[in-house]
Amino acid sequence: MASSSSDILILGLGVVLAALYIFREQLFAASKPKATPLAASKAANGSGNPRDFIAKMKDGKKRIVIFYGSQTGTAEEYAIRLAKEAKQKFGLASLVCDPEEYDFENLDQLPEDCAAFFVMATYGEGEPTDNAVQLMQNLQDDSFEFSGGERKLDGFKYVIFGLGNKTYEHYNLIGRNVDSALEKMGAIRIGERGEGDDDKSMEEDYLEWKDGMWEAFATAMGVEEGQGGDSADFVVTELESHPEEKVYLGEYSARALTKTKGIHDAKNPYAAPITVARELFAAHGERNCIHIEFNTEGSGITYQHGDHVGLWPLNPDVEVERLLCILGLHDKRDAVIGIESLDPALAKVPFPVPTTYGTVLRHYIDISAVAGRQILGTMSKFAPTPEAEAYLKNLNTNKDEYHKVVHDGCLKLGEVLQLAAGNSLKATPTPENTTKWAIPFDIIVSAIPRLQPRYYSISSSPKLHANSIHATAVVLKYENVPHEPVPHKWVFGVGSNFLLNLKHATNGEPVPLLDGDGEGSVAFPGYLIEGPRGSYKTETHYKAPIHVRRSTFRLPTNPKSPVIMIGPGTGVAPFRGFVQERVALARRSIEKNGPEALADWGRISLFYGCRRDDEDFLYKEEWPQYEAELKGKFKLHCAFSRQNYKPDGSKIYVQDLLWADREHIADAILAGKGYVYICGEAKSMSKQVEEVLAKILGEAKGGSAEVEGAAEIKLLKERSRLMLDVWS
């Protein structure tokens, strides 16, 4: 019996083994990849931990890592420029890193023959950019330890370039803090710390700093210039056939192209219908200020008072035509192109592809900015004549000549190239009157930065306008400083004039001429406001791509706290939202608790300034309505600088109104624990307002503005009771 059982067992096992052999392909094919030690493979090539920059450097044989702290994209642009220059000068490859995507415990593992660059912008009132918050915490937190168990970076070599604006109090604070933190831990800085001032010329500050830095870098790293060479960052290929529906014609994301739903943010802006677009300044005046309302219903977009709306503008038609003619692409504007990066770690393709030549120039790169001095040296290599080459090289190397011709003349890249070739800047560009330059399109993509959104303070409250975002924008328009051979011309801000075009189209208004002569008829910029594939235009309205950027510029949650708001000109925009926020709360409180519900509320004071009450008094008709609804808890103070004057004939500004109301202001801040908000131009207004506040508080404390007043201002900022939303 036992023998029989064993025979059956052996026979059954044989059948099973035979079956396994016969069907081995079907049974085990799917599981074959599991035999590959995937984790070990990833660890071997440095991709085991995507947040490990040291492993990525070793894997890519890179001797430089460049971290950038960037809010608007400028610091990232300079980081990429440094990487390109290191490659061109020394043949050294770099890893360009968003610090938000990496960990810093292994910063102490940077090899001796490597160096770290930090390109750090200072945001707001001395704050790190959003993507650099964790980096700064790690560098400044004494309890944070590196992989060796200590806070030491002995022998760690680094380079630093800070981006800031001298009109702000904490100029380049983040760059300086990174420098001091690294130095404190024993790191060795290569060269001088670079600091760029956006109030004057970030570009010139960078150019003056970088040559000395590279000399020090060569010595510290033991390398010689000339080991690199010019090499392309991208390969541009014309695609013979590609499905039209898969070609990006101005869309910013795959979701927009395929019309699928998703979160709307800076990577996927929302094409918001424009429901209202009206002029706020007096009719027939020389200046324009646009009030515009974007409908966000059904988009999933939310906002709070004090946030910013980012508007994605286009380049004007004339600049697109100018470069198409210069590049010899006038008749190939609609040719479909693919773009690949030759080194994605160094230079990512900055916009979605496949696309077209015309789309890149219109939607994706900033061809409307004043041409930088460095880019002119690059373009000189492709000049059509020796004279044009010499002209560009002179502008590239002669700082004074560049400043007179390009900077003061407000010349865009296309205009400089036309000028160098002897073309007229007055005529509308055509292939017949524009000299062709043999500039490869990959150079254009590499040299010209991405067209960035323009940000405006939101001038509404979601408590009153839950599905509508309001913005208030003065239209930027000014004259250049002509200098032979640069003619006189008008200069137009890209974002605000895009809004002006939308306003005219929304209301069916003709676009007015700048003046009555022939020049005016071609001077005002036009835009392809219908959008990609006409998607920004419907039978009833136009749309514009927007997203919301969060802010900490907020009212106190307790309405009993006094609030002082200073916002001349369009600086009043967020305060319209602030007041609407309080009106909504007042309505609910009165409905719930009766007419005396606001009795213990703190007063909201708005100090506003403009030229004249009959010319540029923004939202003039609304303020009395808000005063009535807030039952005496809102007071508006107005300064009309070209209407009312001091006894000596000088103009009255918001700071004069503050001084006149100094007793209430001192009491509201010191006794009432009130909050102060300043919004508007930073260069003079913001500083002067702070000086007056320091004087008021210093005297109220029985001291001086310089000592007691300055101490009180510092304390208010530390406690977030003095907040600024200012621009240069």
Side-chain angles (χ1 to χ4, degrees), residues 65 221 319 586:
V65 59
M221 298 288 284
E319 297 309 322

Side-chain angles (χ1 to χ4, degrees), residues 180 259 266 280 286 307 348 354 358 402 461 480 604 632 661 675 704:
S180 61
K259 295 182 171 59
L280 292 177
E286 295 180 356
D307 284 346
K348 298 176 183 176
Y402 166 84
S461 162
N480 73 339
I604 305 175
D661 198 36
Y675 289 70
S704 67

Side-chain angles (χ1 to χ4, degrees), residues 656-678:
D656 300 307
L657 299 182
L658 289 169
W659 181 248
D661 198 36
R662 56 190 177 276
E663 290 185 10
H664 164 256
I665 288 173
D667 182 66
I669 296 173
L670 299 175
K673 306 297 181 186
Y675 289 70
V676 183
Y677 302 86
I678 303 171

Side-chain angles (χ1 to χ4, degrees), residues 359-374:
T359 300
V360 172
L361 298 180
R362 186 179 301 280
H363 293 271
Y364 295 144
I365 62 175
D366 194 356
I367 64 173
S368 299
V370 172
R373 188 153 61 91
Q374 190 168 11

Side-chain angles (χ1 to χ4, degrees), residues 83-98:
K84 290 177 180 177
E85 289 188 36
K87 186 177 180 182
Q88 291 167 358
K89 289 176 178 289
F90 309 109
L92 296 180
S94 303
L95 179 68
V96 180
C97 296
D98 181 340

Side-chain angles (χ1 to χ4, degrees), residues 69-253:
S70 186
Q71 196 74 18
T72 61
T74 306
E76 182 180 4
E77 290 169 16
Y78 279 100
I80 292 171
R81 284 174 66 172
L82 285 166
K84 290 177 180 177
E85 289 188 36
K87 186 177 180 182
Q88 291 167 358
K89 289 176 178 289
F90 309 109
L92 296 180
S94 303
L95 179 68
V96 180
C97 296
D98 181 340
E100 196 171 34
E101 299 176 359
Y102 293 89
D103 297 321
F104 294 94
E105 284 83 356
N106 59 353
L107 204 60
D108 59 343
Q109 295 179 20
L110 189 75
E112 288 185 13
D113 65 342
C114 297
F117 284 54
F118 295 86
V119 185
M120 308 300 294
T122 298
Y123 179 61
E125 291 301 299
E127 302 158 14
T129 57
D130 291 345
N131 74 322
V133 170
Q134 189 62 50
L135 168 63
M136 295 307 299
Q137 288 176 353
N138 292 161
L139 292 179
Q140 296 181 307
D141 181 2
D142 290 337
S143 66
F144 179 82
E145 294 182 349
F146 298 110
S147 61
E150 297 181 292
R151 280 185 61 76
K152 288 185 179 180
L153 292 174
D154 296 334
F156 179 93
K157 292 188 282 289
Y158 71 97
V159 172
I160 190 151
F161 182 71
L163 295 83
N165 189 309
K166 281 187 176 175
T167 60
Y168 292 79
E169 179 182 355
H170 303 287
Y171 173 64
N172 260 314
L173 181 64
I174 299 304
R176 295 174 183 181
N177 284 348
V178 170
D179 190 20
S180 61
L182 292 172
E183 189 176 47
K184 183 180 177 182
M185 290 183 282
I188 304 165
R189 189 182 66 229
I190 297 174
E192 296 297 319
R193 179 181 67 235
E195 292 189 346
D197 179 15
D198 194 39
D199 182 48
K200 291 186 178 177
S201 176
M202 184 78 70
E203 175 77 2
E204 288 301 328
D205 291 336
Y206 171 78
L207 293 178
E208 288 181 11
W209 164 77
K210 74 181 183 72
D211 290 338
M213 181 276 293
W214 285 128
E215 288 180 16
F217 177 87
T219 302
M221 298 288 284
V223 294
E224 293 183 7
E225 190 166 346
Q227 296 174 1
D230 288 338
S231 58
D233 296 317
F234 304 103
V235 174
V236 178
T237 308
E238 292 188 7
L239 306 178
E240 292 298 325
S241 60
H242 200 85
E244 184 180 344
E245 67 276 10
K246 294 184 179 180
V247 178
Y248 289 87
L249 298 180
E251 296 87 359
Y252 296 102
S253 66

Side-chain angles (χ1 to χ4, degrees), residues 398-671:
N398 188 328
K399 180 179 175 181
D400 292 338
E401 187 68 11
Y402 166 84
H403 197 274
K404 283 189 294 186
V405 174
V406 182
H407 180 272
D408 290 351
C410 300
L411 297 184
K412 305 169 184 68
L413 176 63
E415 292 174 315
V416 177
L417 298 180
Q418 281 190 306
L419 193 68
N423 303 146
S424 170
L425 298 186
K426 290 274 191 178
T428 301
T430 66
E432 291 72 33
N433 63 20
T434 305
T435 302
K436 179 182 173 182
W437 292 58
I439 304 171
F441 202 70
D442 67 270
I443 298 294
I444 294 294
V445 174
S446 180
I448 302 177
R450 178 78 186 261
L451 183 60
Q452 297 290 338
R454 272 48 175 176
Y455 289 99
Y456 302 94
S457 296
I458 293 177
S459 54
S460 57
S461 162
K463 300 289 196 304
L464 291 188
H465 304 280
N467 296 314
S468 181
I469 291 176
H470 300 186
T472 311
V474 165
V475 178
L476 185 62
K477 176 188 70 179
Y478 57 94
E479 296 173 84
N480 73 339
V481 180
H483 181 277
E484 189 62 35
V486 180
H488 164 271
K489 70 165 191 165
W490 285 91
V491 183
F492 302 91
V494 171
S496 58
N497 281 275
F498 177 58
L499 282 176
L500 182 62
N501 266 249
L502 285 169
K503 179 241 177 190
H504 290 317
T506 297
N507 300 323
E509 303 164 348
V511 178
L513 299 183
L514 185 61
D515 50 45
D517 62 23
E519 178 188 352
S521 63
V522 296
F524 250 114
Y527 298 80
L528 187 67
I529 56 175
E530 293 82 2
R533 298 177 170 88
S535 59
Y536 293 171
K537 182 183 180 182
T538 70
E539 291 183 3
T540 56
H541 52 246
Y542 283 84
K543 300 177 183 180
I546 64 167
H547 75 278
V548 170
R549 184 176 73 183
R550 303 299 174 193
S551 168
T552 57
F553 201 64
R554 296 273 191 274
L555 278 169
T557 54
N558 187 351
K560 295 179 182 179
S561 300
V563 172
I564 296 162
M565 307 176 294
I566 303 104
T570 53
V572 79
F575 301 137
R576 178 176 181 261
F578 279 32
V579 174
Q580 287 184 0
E581 188 85 1
R582 279 290 188 257
V583 166
L585 182 59
R587 289 176 182 174
R588 291 201 304 271
S589 298
I590 292 171
E591 182 180 350
K592 182 179 179 181
N593 301 314
E596 299 303 316
L598 312 187
D600 61 348
W601 278 27
R603 192 169 91 180
I604 305 175
S605 300
L606 172 59
F607 294 84
Y608 170 70
C610 62
R611 293 182 179 181
R612 300 179 57 87
D613 70 348
D614 58 355
E615 179 183 328
D616 55 354
F617 189 174
L618 300 183
Y619 304 111
K620 178 180 179 179
E621 71 288 349
E622 294 184 19
W623 304 117
Q625 300 171 23
Y626 299 145
E627 285 183 307
E629 289 215 54
L630 290 170
K631 311 296 182 186
K633 295 298 181 179
F634 169 57
K635 184 170 177 57
L636 177 66
H637 304 256
C638 292
F640 303 113
S641 62
R642 300 191 183 182
Q643 182 174 334
N644 301 328
Y645 300 91
K646 298 177 186 177
D648 63 1
S650 58
K651 295 176 179 178
I652 297 176
Y653 295 108
V654 286
Q655 50 267 37
D656 300 307
L657 299 182
L658 289 169
W659 181 248
D661 198 36
R662 56 190 177 276
E663 290 185 10
H664 164 256
I665 288 173
D667 182 66
I669 296 173
L670 299 175

